[in-house]
């Protein structure tokens, strides 16, 4: 889209399409995004919007039945779209690391967490046993784990969620990767721990120039952490831009709704609940704007044909025919005001869609 | 619940030492329970023999010589006039020192005949276990990795076919193919390892194979199921994004965690293998414990029957203890078995 990628681009995704269920449905359509060295890019959207699938594709670990049908993924400007297994083995750990929601399930339940970190150091950096142990303890200290010697010998079931996420981060950065992909990494944690993890990620960025792709459905977290935001809706990027612009002047009705939810929603569970209606089913073929069914500002032009991303400012784009319409914000605000006292419902349907996509 | 226990004790001791202690105490517990189980099972075996309604003195003396007087004298000499529990206690204390009495007929010490024949069965059993693990493990692993493929379907088919075949039928088929038709291996007999490793292997490979196939099929099926489940776990994805090589993930993370149920099956199948060994001994005319037991049972040679059963049940119990210990070492977490 932008022609030549910038020289410091770490992750570049270009016009990515992913089909699920062995090609039966297209879950990701034409997603493009890039992350540069030292940059933290946020990926927001409801559950089921394709954030996780995009991350999995970028990591080269798509679930069975999911295939990249079109588009390219590049890492440090090297095309990795069809990288064979050996290539990914080289890239994982040393090039990119990842942390996920529910860290306990991503660690082997029968091996000590220290052993699992040391294993990576021994295999990827050929460190001898003793040195790997020392380095592992250093890394545990660096991610803020107290009593790292003790944590080293514990198995995942003996640690709390926050501690496990620190362990995961320590493992992910152990071989000094350039990119960290964090998929809902703070979602299951309570607020204080969440803030600490965010602090840790910011430190890592500042100290190591780590690039971070941070996925969350929580705009409040994104606002604190990210430089740029990419908003996903039903497998498409609907808006992308610098974080302040998106927060202050959201140009897509969906982003506007998302922000309203973030400001009124309760802190504990900011699942997107106030936008009425449900996102289209995964793979549903829709002629025009995929948000039209739920959009308070929809007009006839919205449904006639595919809607392209429109450039609004340098680096700020939105996929909406009325993005430049000065009345748009007022219309969506009025619609939201009209139904403020509403029972939250929509979130669950999105969650189901995400489960189905897996 | 072991984990809850561990976490509550978290304050004082370092995790590693705590885990070593927990494992040691579990093994210790296993050993402690071994003694009563052995005593109980030996009592049952002994009583079965003693109460089998046979009249040992009459059997030994033969129909003609068995006058009430001679029988009574022999009973006294054999200690058979004492109460059962006293007899049992005498027998047990002797057995604990390795004396299992003497055969009623041959006057050969029972422990001596067992010592002569045990190596035969031990050779076959150990080789059969190794073969079962090798064949079943490989088949199950490859089937799980290529699930849905032709190899997977083939394994499923062969497994269900094999599990309907008793060991002696497999044994006969093997003899017909390898010994009679192709003349590759001897059809029967036994040569101990002292007679050379190769002849020894030549003589035990067919019976071991016959014994192992059914267990191998069970292992393959179970391992396939649990490995498929483990390979779908998040921690396999986690290991992949750490950049660990595929083979390492498969062996150290997937197979290690998936092997438990198959190991349990191996433990459970072990008595079955012993039963099969008796049949295999007959097919391959091997001078093993099974033959000894059969002959003794037919002639009502009670001390031999009791001795053999004691040895066999000890083996079964010890094998189970070993399996449980290995499981404890593999699964440090209570939710470790994913399948
Ligand atoms: S294109 Fe139309 S329907 Fe879609 S978001 Fe914009 S105004 Fe709403």
């Amino acid at each position: 889209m932008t022609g030549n990628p910038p020289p410091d681009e770490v992750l570049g995704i270009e016009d990515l399409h992913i089909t699920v269920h062995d090609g039966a449905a297209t879950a990701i359509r034409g997603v493009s995004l890039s992350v540069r060295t030292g940059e933290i890019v946020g990926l927001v959207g409801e559950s089921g919007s394709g954030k996780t699938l995009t991350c999995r594709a970028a990591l080269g670990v798509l679930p069975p039945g999911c295939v990249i049908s079109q588009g390219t993924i590049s890492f440090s400007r090297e095309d990795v779209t069809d990288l064979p297994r050996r290539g990914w083995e080289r890239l994982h750990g040393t090039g990119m690391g990842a942390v996920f929601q529910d860290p306990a399930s991503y660690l082997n339940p029968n091996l000590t967490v220290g052993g699992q970190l040391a294993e990576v150091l021994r295999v990827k950096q050929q460190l001898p046993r003793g040195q790997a142990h020392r380095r592992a303890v250093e890394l545990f200290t660096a991610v803020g784990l107290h009593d790292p010697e003790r944590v080293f010998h514990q198995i995942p079931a003996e640690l709390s969620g926050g501690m496990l996420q620190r362990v995961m981060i320590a493992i992910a950065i152990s071989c000094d990767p350039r990119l960290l992909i964090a998929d809902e990494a703070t979602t299951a944690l309570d607020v204080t721990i969440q803030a600490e993890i965010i602090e840790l990620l910011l430190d890592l960025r500042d100290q190591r120039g780590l690039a971070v792709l941070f996925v969350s459905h929580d705009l409040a977290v994104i606002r604190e952490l990210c430089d740029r935001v990419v908003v996903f809706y039903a497998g498409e990027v609907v808006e992308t831009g610098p974080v302040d612009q998106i927060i202050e002047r959201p140009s897509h009705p969906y982003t506007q709704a998302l922000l309203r939810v973030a400001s009124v929603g309760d802190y504990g569970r900011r699942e997107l609940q106030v936008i009425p209606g449900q996102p289209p089913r995964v793979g549903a073929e829709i002629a025009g704007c995929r948000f039209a069914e739920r959009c308070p500002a929809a007009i006839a032009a919205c449904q006639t044909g595919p809607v392209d991303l429109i450039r609004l400012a340098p680096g700020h784009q939105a996929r909406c025919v009325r993005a430049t319409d000065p009345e748009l914000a007022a219309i969506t605000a009025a619609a939201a005001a009209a139904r403020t006292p509403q029972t939250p419902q929509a979130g669950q349907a999105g969650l189901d869609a995400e489960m189905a996509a897996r | 619940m072991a984990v809850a226990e561990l976490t509550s004790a978290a304050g004082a001791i370092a995790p590693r030492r705590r885990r070593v202690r927990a494992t040691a105490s579990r093994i210790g517990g296993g050993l402690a329970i071994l003694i009563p189980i052995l005593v109980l099972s030996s009592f049952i075996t002994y009583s079965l023999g003693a109460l089998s309604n046979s009249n040992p003195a009459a059997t030994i003396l033969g129909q003609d010589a068995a006058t009430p007087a001679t029988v009574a004298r022999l009973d006294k000499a054999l200690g058979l006039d004492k109460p059962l529990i006293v007899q049992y206690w005498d027998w047990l204390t002797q057995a604990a020192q390795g004396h299992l009495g003497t055969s009623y007929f041959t006057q050969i010490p029972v422990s001596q005949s067992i010592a002569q024949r045990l190596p035969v069965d031990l050779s076959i059993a150990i080789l059969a276990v190794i073969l079962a693990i090798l064949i079943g493990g490989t088949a199950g692993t490859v089937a799980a990795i290529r699930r849905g493929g032709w190899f997977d379907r083939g394994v499923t088919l062969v497994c269900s076919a094999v599990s309907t075949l008793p060991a002696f039928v497999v044994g006969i088929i093997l003899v017909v193919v390898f010994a009679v038709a192709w003349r590759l291996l001897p059809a029967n007999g036994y040569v101990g390892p002292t007679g050379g490793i190769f002849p020894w292997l030549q003589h035990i490979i067919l019976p071991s194979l016959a014994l192992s196939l059914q267990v191998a099929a069970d292992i393959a099926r179970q391992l396939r199921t649990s490995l498929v489940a483990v390979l779908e776990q998040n921690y396999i994805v986690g290991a992949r994004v750490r950049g660990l090589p595929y083979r390492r993930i498969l062996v150290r993370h997937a197979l290690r965690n998936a092997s438990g149920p198959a190991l349990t099956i191996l433990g459970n199948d072990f008595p079955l293998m012993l039963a099969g060994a008796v049949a295999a001994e007959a097919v391959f005319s091997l001078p093993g414990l099974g033959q000894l037991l059969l002959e003794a049972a037919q002639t009502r040679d009670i001390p031999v029957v009791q001795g053999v059963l004691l040895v066999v049940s000890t083996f079964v119990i010890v094998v189970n203890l070993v399996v449980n210990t290995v499981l404890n070492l593999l699964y440090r977490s209570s939710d470790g078995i994913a399948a």
Side-chain angles (χ1 to χ4, degrees):
Chain A
M1 203 181 309
T2 38
N4 265 337
D8 59 347
E9 182 188 89
V10 179
L11 175 69
I13 296 179
E14 201 61 42
D15 192 32
L16 182 71
H17 287 68
I18 298 176
T19 59
V20 295
H21 304 313
D22 299 311
T26 306
I28 302 286
R29 354 180 135 234
V31 164
S32 299
L33 60 90
S34 79
V35 188
R36 291 194 261 173
T37 302
E39 190 181 36
I40 305 185
V41 173
L43 232 62
V44 235
E46 280 164 301
S47 313
S49 57
K51 299 167 301 186
T52 292
L53 213 51
T54 307
C55 285
R56 286 290 190 102
L59 283 166
V61 287
L62 278 175
C66 301
V67 173
I68 296 176
S69 57
Q70 196 183 319
T72 57
I73 298 172
S74 58
F75 180 78
S76 290
R77 309 179 72 193
E78 173 201 359
D79 188 341
V80 296
T81 320
D82 299 310
L83 201 64
R85 195 172 73 199
R86 282 290 157 89
W88 279 113
E89 274 172 20
R90 178 175 49 81
L91 222 56
H92 284 145
T94 44
M96 53 174 78
V99 287
F100 307 90
Q101 190 175 355
D102 190 14
S105 74
Y106 284 89
L107 289 162
N108 190 325
N110 295 311
L111 300 176
T112 62
V113 294
Q116 296 185 62
L117 172 49
E119 178 186 24
V120 175
L121 294 167
R122 293 215 317 274
V123 171
K124 303 294 284 186
Q125 304 194 327
Q126 280 83 44
L127 292 190
R129 205 168 273 270
Q131 222 172 316
H133 181 119
R134 274 197 298 282
R135 180 90 187 97
V137 171
E138 273 170 34
L139 280 160
F140 280 158
T141 315
V143 296
L145 281 164
H146 302 294
D147 204 351
E149 271 290 357
R150 184 194 158 76
V151 170
F152 187 96
H153 294 293
Q154 285 181 302
I155 57 170
E158 294 169 349
L159 298 173
S160 70
M163 291 168 92
L164 285 170
Q165 202 55 286
R166 287 177 199 274
V167 167
M168 285 293 285
I169 293 174
I171 293 177
I173 61 165
S174 60
C175 303
D176 237 332
R178 309 187 53 195
L179 172 70
L180 178 72
I181 295 186
D183 186 0
E184 303 273 12
T186 60
T187 304
L189 306 176
D190 73 55
V191 186
T192 26
I193 313 271
Q194 190 169 312
E196 285 171 26
I197 298 283
I198 289 170
E199 206 50 49
L200 174 60
L201 290 178
L202 285 168
D203 281 352
L204 289 172
R205 187 265 299 270
D206 296 341
Q207 286 162 15
R208 305 176 178 229
L210 191 67
V212 182
L213 183 63
F214 187 87
V215 178
S216 178
H217 58 264
D218 189 342
L219 261 176
V221 176
I222 297 262
R223 182 196 307 197
E224 283 171 57
L225 183 64
C226 300
D227 305 309
R228 282 195 302 118
V229 187
V230 179
V231 184
F232 267 58
Y233 184 78
E236 285 179 336
V237 173
V238 291
E239 185 162 4
T240 168
V243 75
D244 336 325
Q245 278 194 41
I246 300 276
I247 301 286
E248 274 157 36
R249 267 174 288 125
S251 302
H252 192 284
Y254 177 67
T255 318
Q256 292 166 354
L258 211 56
L259 272 164
R260 240 169 254 125
V261 175
S263 56
V264 301
D266 68 297
Y267 205 86
R269 201 176 149 67
R270 283 208 217 79
E271 186 71 49
L272 186 58
Q273 289 170 332
V274 197
I275 308 175
Q278 296 173 5
R281 269 184 316 105
V282 173
E285 295 303 327
I286 292 165
C289 171
R290 296 179 72 78
F291 187 58
E293 231 178 87
R294 298 167 78 184
C295 180
I299 53 173
C302 300
Q303 312 211 15
T304 48
V307 183
D308 289 329
L309 278 169
I310 295 170
R311 265 193 66 146
L312 303 164
H316 187 178
Q317 298 173 308
R319 192 184 296 276
C320 172
V321 293
R322 302 185 69 179
T324 48
D325 189 334
E327 283 168 44
L328 182 67
I331 296 171
T332 57
R339 47 150 217 276
T340 310
Q342 247 227 331
T343 22
Q345 265 295 344
Q348 195 54 43
L351 215 95
D352 292 343
E354 177 123 329
M355 302 309 265
R358 280 181 197 153
Chain B
M1 69 239 137
V3 172
E5 223 172 79
L6 294 179
T7 350
S8 67
I13 335 162
R16 183 193 229 166
R17 224 178 322 144
R18 186 152 36 87
R19 193 164 302 112
V20 169
R21 271 185 206 181
T23 310
S25 81
R26 275 190 242 176
I27 296 173
L31 278 172
I33 207 151
L34 184 74
I35 310 290
I37 291 182
L38 268 176
V39 169
L40 189 68
S41 74
S42 67
F43 181 69
I44 295 172
T45 6
Y46 187 84
S47 320
L48 280 179
L51 299 172
S52 63
N53 202 21
S54 66
N55 188 341
T59 316
I60 296 166
L61 292 168
Q63 292 299 332
D64 304 332
T67 64
T70 50
V71 168
R73 209 177 321 131
L74 195 54
D75 272 353
K76 197 169 175 73
L78 292 170
L80 294 172
D81 54 341
K82 295 180 198 161
L84 177 65
I85 193 77
V86 177
Q87 286 183 40
Y88 168 67
W89 182 249
D90 289 346
W91 176 75
L92 189 67
T93 43
Q94 287 294 305
Q97 297 160 38
H99 306 299
L100 292 166
T102 47
S103 159
Y104 285 161
F105 301 108
T106 59
Q107 303 304 322
I108 298 172
V110 174
S111 29
Q112 190 185 321
S113 341
I114 290 178
Q116 243 169 32
R117 286 152 181 267
L118 191 60
V120 183
D121 293 279
L122 227 47
S123 312
I124 298 175
I126 291 174
L127 187 62
V129 167
I130 294 173
L131 284 175
I133 292 175
L134 280 181
I135 300 172
T138 315
T141 306
V142 178
I145 295 170
R146 310 215 184 293
R147 59 179 166 283
W150 61 266
F151 187 87
D152 185 16
R153 288 198 294 270
V155 165
T156 311
L157 204 74
V158 170
C159 282
S160 32
V162 166
S163 18
T164 60
L165 294 176
F168 73 90
V169 176
V170 178
I172 291 169
I173 297 174
L174 289 175
V175 167
V176 168
V177 173
F178 287 97
V180 179
W182 294 350
R183 297 176 180 282
L184 284 175
L185 293 164
N188 54 34
Y190 176 75
V191 175
T194 41
I197 294 294
F198 190 66
W200 174 58
L201 279 177
Q202 262 188 336
H203 283 88
I204 61 172
I205 185 89
L206 283 187
S208 302
L209 199 61
L211 265 188
S212 69
L213 280 190
Q214 227 171 5
V215 184
D218 286 348
I219 289 181
R221 270 192 292 200
Q222 181 55 58
L223 188 63
R224 182 201 174 274
T225 310
S226 33
L227 190 55
V228 164
V230 166
L231 285 172
E232 281 168 7
Q233 297 292 309
N234 282 344
Y235 60 80
I236 298 300
V237 175
R240 278 172 70 193
V241 299
R242 273 169 240 162
L244 298 180
Y246 180 74
R247 197 165 298 171
R248 191 182 180 91
I249 296 175
L250 184 68
V251 174
R252 201 174 123 91
H253 292 270
L255 270 177
R256 182 187 197 278
N257 287 359
S259 59
L263 211 61
T264 310
I265 286 214
L266 186 65
N268 292 345
D269 278 0
F270 187 72
L272 223 75
M273 283 174 95
L274 288 178
V278 178
E281 280 173 22
V283 172
F284 294 94
S285 15
L286 296 170
L289 277 182
Q291 297 315 102
L292 183 64
L293 182 63
L294 274 184
E295 281 161 28
Q298 274 157 7
T299 53
R300 307 204 161 189
D301 199 345
I302 304 298
V304 178
V305 174
Q306 285 166 336
V308 173
L309 288 183
L310 180 71
V311 168
V312 170
S313 54
T314 308
F315 263 96
V316 170
I317 293 166
V318 169
V319 164
N320 268 308
L321 180 72
V322 169
V323 166
N324 283 333
T325 307
V326 175
L327 284 176
N328 273 333
L329 292 176
L330 277 180
Y331 296 111
R332 304 189 204 183
S333 148
S334 58
D335 55 341
I337 303 180

